């Protein structure tokens, strides 16, 4: 085991060093292509937030600390969102370390002040401490990465097919795509269940697995509601969105809770969806009848470290094995390599689906491929950093609130062979909320916790909902 870990890390060092260089050159490549194909060079997150030079509808106000604030200006409101600092500080990459070394060498021959972040520091060690302390002011910086308002049309590197762009021609283009299964003959359902999918997935994760396998009794008493989250499937994929927690939650509230006038509901959530489920429970504590969380990405953050940075290093460890871990690392650490993967795979998802059916003689349904590929790099990159990593500082308070103020049953399911989110994350949730029950399913991973055992899981969910009703009647 020790040798295998050493080999994994050694090979990983060389592989990720090459990826550092590749992403560096891809940065310039995409800026050039964007200029010729879209008449402007789109800014990226390869450097620290620069000072903005123009007034626009959306901007970032940066401060030292875990988050930067996104200020969205509308006619009636000023919104403050939080973006994760991991968008900018994904290093230290090989090139980043080299550039810092060069700057430190130059520093010896430079006399004057250098602005670093929000604090004015000096390369000249003879500068008095009083002069430095006077310069330590609470400064804010406007970030040009997001101040530029993008159009809603797909970018040249995004998929332009009718499926991925169906939201642009929809009469309700400002709402999420929602798939509903409810009792026949217009019979009113007694209860509602909201299903929230995980990262790079879609509502098909539920509708193709669980919906057909619920019992006739459940189908006649429950209304099942599955959403495509903002940026996924057939839901809107706006280019000017930063896919923050507020944006995701408001879209769910608008498209599900308000649209269907839900007063109470159960929630079933997977991976990324668990974070949104907990946030909904905090905002609507009296409406939640039960919480079912599958592979919740909750990491106990040690004191003295930046939560988002810690979670990113836990979720996306720079390792080449197992393959799912390597894929998570590439998508998390490399903005431009991730865009390249999207350009190759996402734009050709119909071809990939066709080849899959051909090679398997049409024996494998491709709904998982549909969910995995029908999104944009902009949406997935921001969701990954702003929700999964950025929630590192929030989940503790969310779980405390659920423990103390949300009176509902909480069931947690986790695959015993989940290589992406370790089982310890579920036990950590239970340590925060003791009444939660943890079910570890042997020989199942992050996906097969549902796919392949949908019949059994459908029965388990029905028992959870029945017990929650009994609990609330007492």
């Amino acid at each position: 085991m020790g040798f295998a870990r050493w080999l994994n890390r050694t090979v990983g060092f060389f592989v990720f060093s090459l990826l550092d260089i590749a992403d560096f050159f891809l940065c310039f490549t995409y800026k050039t292509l964007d200029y010729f194909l879209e008449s402007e060079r789109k800014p990226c997150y390869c450097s620290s937030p620069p000072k903005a030079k123009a007034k626009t509808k959306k901007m970032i106000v940066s401060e030292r600390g875990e988050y930067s604030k996104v200020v969205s200006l509308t006619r009636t409101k000023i919104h403050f969102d939080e973006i994760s600092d991991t968008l900018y500080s994904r290093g230290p990459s090989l090139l980043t370390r080299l550039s810092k070394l060069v700057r430190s060498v130059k520093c010896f021959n430079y006399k004057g002040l250098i602005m670093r972040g929000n604090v004015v520091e000096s390369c000249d060690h003879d500068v008095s401490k009083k002069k430095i302390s006077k310069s330590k002011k609470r400064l804010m910086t406007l970030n040009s990465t997001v101040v530029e308002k993008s159009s809603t049309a797909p970018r040249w590197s995004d998929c332009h097919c009718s499926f991925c762009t169906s939201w642009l021609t929809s009469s309700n283009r400002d709402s999420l795509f929602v798939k509903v299964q409810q009792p026949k003959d217009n019979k009113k359902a007694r209860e509602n269940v909201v299903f929230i999918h995980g990262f790079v997935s879609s509502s098909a994760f539920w509708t193709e697995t669980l919906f057909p396998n619920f019992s006739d009794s459940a189908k006649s008493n429950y209304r099942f509601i599955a959403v495509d989250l903002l940026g996924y499937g057939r839901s809107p994929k706006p280019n000017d969105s930063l896919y923050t927690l507020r944006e995701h939650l408001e879209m769910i509230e608008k498209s599900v809770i308000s649209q269907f006038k839900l007063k109470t509901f159960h929630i079933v959530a997977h991976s990324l969806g668990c974070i949104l489920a907990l946030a909904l429970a905090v905002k609507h504590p009296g409406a939640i009848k039960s919480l079912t969380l599958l592979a919740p990405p909750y990491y106990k953050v040690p004191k003295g470290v930046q939560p988002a940075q810690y979670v990113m290093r836990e979720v996306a460890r720079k390792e080449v094995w197992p393959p799912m871990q390597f894929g998570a690392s590439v998508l998390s650490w490399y903005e431009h390599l991730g865009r390249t993967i999207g350009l190759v795979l996402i734009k050709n998802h119909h071809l990939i689906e066709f080849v899959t059916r051909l090679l398997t003689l049409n024996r494998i349904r491709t709904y998982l491929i549909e969910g995995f590929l029908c999104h944009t790099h902009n949406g997935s990159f921001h969701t990954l950093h702003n929700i999964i990593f950025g929630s590192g500082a929030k989940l503790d308070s969310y779980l405390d609130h659920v423990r103390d103020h949300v009176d509902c049953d909480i069931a947690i399911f986790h695959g015993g062979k989940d290589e992406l989110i370790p089982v310890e994350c579920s036990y950590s949730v239970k340590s925060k909320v003791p009444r939660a029950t943890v079910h570890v399913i042997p020989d199942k991973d992050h996906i097969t916790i549902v796919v392949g055992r949908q019949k059994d899981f459908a029965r388990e969910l029905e028992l959870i909902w029945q017990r929650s009703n009994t609990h609330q009647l007492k």
Side-chain angles (χ1 to χ4, degrees):
M1 181 65 70
F3 175 76
R5 186 181 295 108
W6 174 85
L7 182 63
N8 195 11
R9 291 179 178 178
T10 302
V11 174
F13 172 80
F14 290 102
V15 169
F16 285 105
S17 295
L18 292 175
L19 294 181
D20 288 338
I21 298 172
D23 201 65
F24 177 80
F25 286 106
L26 281 173
C27 176
F28 295 98
T29 301
Y30 279 117
K31 285 185 183 296
T32 303
L33 291 173
D34 288 342
Y35 179 77
F36 283 106
L37 297 174
E38 298 180 348
S39 301
E40 61 178 335
R41 291 184 177 91
K42 293 288 185 180
C44 61
Y45 292 102
C46 292
S47 58
S48 298
K51 186 176 292 184
K53 298 181 180 180
K55 295 180 180 180
T56 54
K57 294 182 179 180
K58 184 177 285 189
M59 58 189 174
I60 282 184
V61 179
S62 299
E63 295 185 89
R64 294 192 72 171
E66 181 64 22
Y67 294 99
S68 296
K69 296 286 186 180
V70 184
V71 183
S72 304
L73 306 179
T74 67
R75 291 182 180 179
T76 58
K77 295 181 180 179
I78 299 179
H79 295 294
F80 287 88
D81 287 347
E82 290 181 340
I83 65 168
S84 174
D85 67 335
T86 56
L87 284 166
Y88 286 103
S89 49
R90 298 187 307 279
S93 67
L94 175 64
L95 294 176
T96 301
R97 289 194 293 267
L98 290 176
S99 64
K100 285 184 177 180
L101 178 62
V102 172
R103 285 200 302 270
S104 64
V105 171
K106 288 182 179 180
C107 196
F108 285 105
N109 299 320
Y110 179 78
K111 292 183 179 181
L113 298 178
I114 296 178
M115 178 69 76
R116 291 177 181 170
N118 300 323
V119 181
V120 177
E121 298 177 350
S122 175
C123 287
D124 190 348
H125 296 286
D126 295 329
V127 177
S128 66
K129 293 182 179 180
K130 291 183 179 180
K131 189 173 183 180
I132 295 178
S133 63
K134 289 182 180 179
S135 66
K136 290 185 178 180
K137 297 181 179 180
R138 187 178 178 86
L139 301 179
M140 291 187 176
T141 324
L142 299 184
N143 174 20
S144 62
T145 300
V146 291
V147 296
E148 300 183 10
K149 185 80 171 179
S150 304
S151 65
T152 55
R155 300 191 64 185
W156 67 268
S157 55
D158 295 334
C159 181
H160 291 68
C161 76
S162 58
F163 182 91
C164 292
T165 60
S166 59
W167 65 279
L168 287 170
T169 57
S170 172
S171 58
N172 200 11
R173 59 186 292 175
D174 294 325
S175 295
L176 301 177
F177 173 81
V178 180
K179 181 70 174 179
V180 180
Q181 180 174 298
Q182 54 190 349
K184 299 178 180 179
D185 302 325
N186 296 321
K187 180 182 177 181
K188 187 176 181 180
R190 292 191 299 109
E191 297 185 48
N192 302 281
V193 186
V194 177
F195 293 84
I196 308 176
H197 65 76
F199 186 63
V200 290
S201 187
S202 73
S203 58
F205 184 78
W206 311 111
T207 60
E208 296 290 333
T209 56
L210 295 178
F211 281 27
N213 287 292
F214 286 122
S215 66
D216 292 337
S217 175
K219 292 178 181 178
S220 63
N221 288 285
Y222 293 89
R223 174 166 54 182
F224 305 121
I225 305 171
V227 299
D228 285 347
L229 291 175
L230 183 66
Y232 294 95
R234 282 173 278 187
S235 282
K237 305 174 181 66
N239 288 324
D240 60 337
S241 173
L242 293 176
Y243 297 86
T244 60
L245 183 64
R246 180 187 65 83
E247 291 175 286
H248 278 287
L249 290 181
E250 285 189 352
M251 288 295 280
I252 294 174
E253 290 172 324
K254 174 184 177 181
S255 308
V256 179
I257 298 177
S258 297
Q259 176 68 27
F260 295 96
K261 298 179 174 60
L262 303 186
K263 294 182 179 179
T264 61
F265 52 94
H266 304 267
I267 298 181
V268 181
H270 178 233
S271 192
L272 158 73
C274 296
I275 300 172
L276 300 176
L278 291 170
L280 283 172
V282 170
K283 290 192 70 175
H284 307 274
I288 309 301
K289 301 198 69 173
S290 73
L291 272 175
T292 303
L293 309 177
L294 286 77
Y298 170 59
Y299 295 84
K300 284 190 173 181
V301 180
K303 293 182 179 180
V305 301
Q306 292 182 316
Q309 295 283 344
Y310 178 81
V311 173
M312 181 173 69
R313 283 169 172 77
E314 289 295 309
V315 174
R317 298 185 302 275
K318 283 191 170 183
E319 297 177 352
V320 295
W321 192 264
M324 184 173 286
Q325 183 66 60
F326 178 68
S329 300
V330 173
L331 293 176
S332 302
W333 292 87
Y334 300 104
E335 180 178 0
H336 304 291
L337 278 171
R339 188 177 177 186
T340 303
I341 293 172
L343 180 63
V344 173
L345 299 180
I346 295 174
K347 289 201 70 166
N348 298 288
H349 67 90
H350 288 299
L351 176 61
I352 294 173
E353 291 174 17
F354 172 76
V355 172
T356 301
R357 290 193 181 101
L358 188 66
L359 293 177
T360 62
L361 301 178
N362 208 32
R363 289 195 299 265
I364 295 181
R365 300 167 72 183
T366 57
Y367 64 89
L368 288 177
I369 295 177
E370 173 189 298
F372 187 71
L373 298 179
C374 292
H375 56 89
T376 65
H377 172 254
N378 175 64
S380 295
F381 188 70
H382 283 96
T383 296
L384 179 64
H385 284 270
N386 288 335
I387 307 298
I388 296 181
F389 302 153
S391 66
K394 300 176 181 177
L395 284 184
D396 276 326
S397 61
Y398 287 176
L399 290 169
D400 288 341
H401 189 92
V402 168
R403 179 193 63 214
D404 299 333
H405 303 288
V406 183
D407 184 21
C408 73
D409 289 337
I410 302 172
I412 306 170
F413 291 82
H414 213 118
K417 291 189 175 181
D418 194 327
E419 296 176 338
L420 188 60
I421 307 295
V423 177
E424 288 73 21
C425 288
S426 288
Y427 287 119
S428 295
V429 173
K430 181 174 176 58
S431 70
K432 293 286 289 184
V433 188
R435 73 174 185 273
T437 58
V438 177
H439 308 271
V440 177
I441 312 301
D443 301 322
K444 300 299 178 183
D445 58 26
H446 200 65
I447 301 299
T448 56
I449 187 70
V450 174
V451 179
R453 63 178 299 270
Q454 50 262 33
K455 290 184 178 180
D456 292 336
F457 189 50
R459 299 289 87 75
E460 291 164 349
L461 285 176
E462 291 179 28
L463 290 175
I464 291 171
W465 301 333
Q466 292 171 12
R467 285 198 302 268
S468 70
N469 291 332
T470 304
H471 168 75
Q472 293 179 356
L473 287 174
K474 291 182 179 180

